[in-house]
Amino acid sequence: MYRKILITTDGSAVSQHTACAGVKFAQQLGAEVLALFVAPEYQYPVYVEIIPPSYPSEEEYVAQMRRMGEEYMGKITRSCASANLAHRCLTAFSDTAALKIVEVAEQEGCDLIFMGSHGRSGWNQLLLGSVTNKVLSHTAKPVLVHRLIAEPAV
């Protein structure tokens, strides 16, 4: 049914729990996994004429975000390896995570996007927005939303 599944993570406990569920789902199907962490674009300091020495350079920032991505996707990598699933990890950069998720899914030929939902509703959802809702509205690909009823134990 699905041969290549994109599993997203932002490093939070909720997304880590969702990623593990995504790997189990991929294992049931014998599908390949592409793990994705979308980091924000590098931002130059605003209203500063001289960049402070403690402010990271763009290269340092990119390297740091890639290290964070590897750390966040480590659990996915270990789960895939123990399940003998083909997998790959990717750190992408964008200030619009939802659009980047859709773009990567298209570019990489993914059959399904597997992502979580924090289960917010009402004003919280309106004020905070939802990457999941934005992905759903910007892609024609199937999106499996893993809804978490309670916060996972850390």
Side-chain angles (χ1 to χ4, degrees):
M1 184 175 199
Y2 299 113
R3 294 179 316 275
K4 190 171 187 180
I5 300 174
L6 175 68
I7 301 175
T8 62
T9 185
D10 63 8
S12 67
V14 170
S15 73
Q16 292 294 323
H17 183 77
T18 297
C20 288
V23 171
K24 287 178 187 172
F25 183 71
Q27 183 180 15
Q28 291 171 352
L29 300 175
E32 178 183 350
V33 170
L34 175 62
L36 175 66
F37 168 64
V38 180
E41 295 278 355
Y42 178 76
Q43 299 292 319
Y44 289 95
V46 181
Y47 305 116
V48 176
E49 291 187 27
I50 299 173
I51 297 176
S54 61
Y55 201 81
S57 70
E58 187 169 1
E59 294 78 22
E60 291 168 332
Y61 174 80
V62 168
Q64 181 181 1
M65 289 298 106
R66 289 193 191 284
R67 281 191 303 274
M68 282 178 58
E70 287 175 19
E71 180 182 325
Y72 293 161
M73 294 181 286
K75 194 168 190 177
I76 299 170
T77 300
R78 290 187 296 277
S79 296
C80 286
S82 68
N84 291 324
L85 288 177
H87 62 281
R88 194 163 62 89
C89 296
L90 177 66
T91 298
F93 293 85
S94 178
D95 289 328
T96 53
L99 295 178
K100 183 53 86 172
I101 291 166
V102 170
E103 178 185 320
V104 168
E106 287 291 330
Q107 288 175 346
E108 296 290 332
C110 296
D111 304 310
L112 175 75
I113 300 170
F114 192 103
M115 57 191 313
S117 171
H118 291 269
R120 293 186 183 103
S121 60
W123 286 108
N124 282 339
Q125 183 179 20
L126 273 175
L127 294 173
L128 297 173
S130 167
V131 172
T132 304
N133 283 339
K134 290 174 188 167
V135 168
L136 286 165
S137 66
H138 285 93
T139 188
K141 290 192 178 290
V143 179
L144 196 155
V145 179
H146 181 261
R147 178 119 187 221
L148 201 58
I149 303 302
E151 292 288 321
V154 181

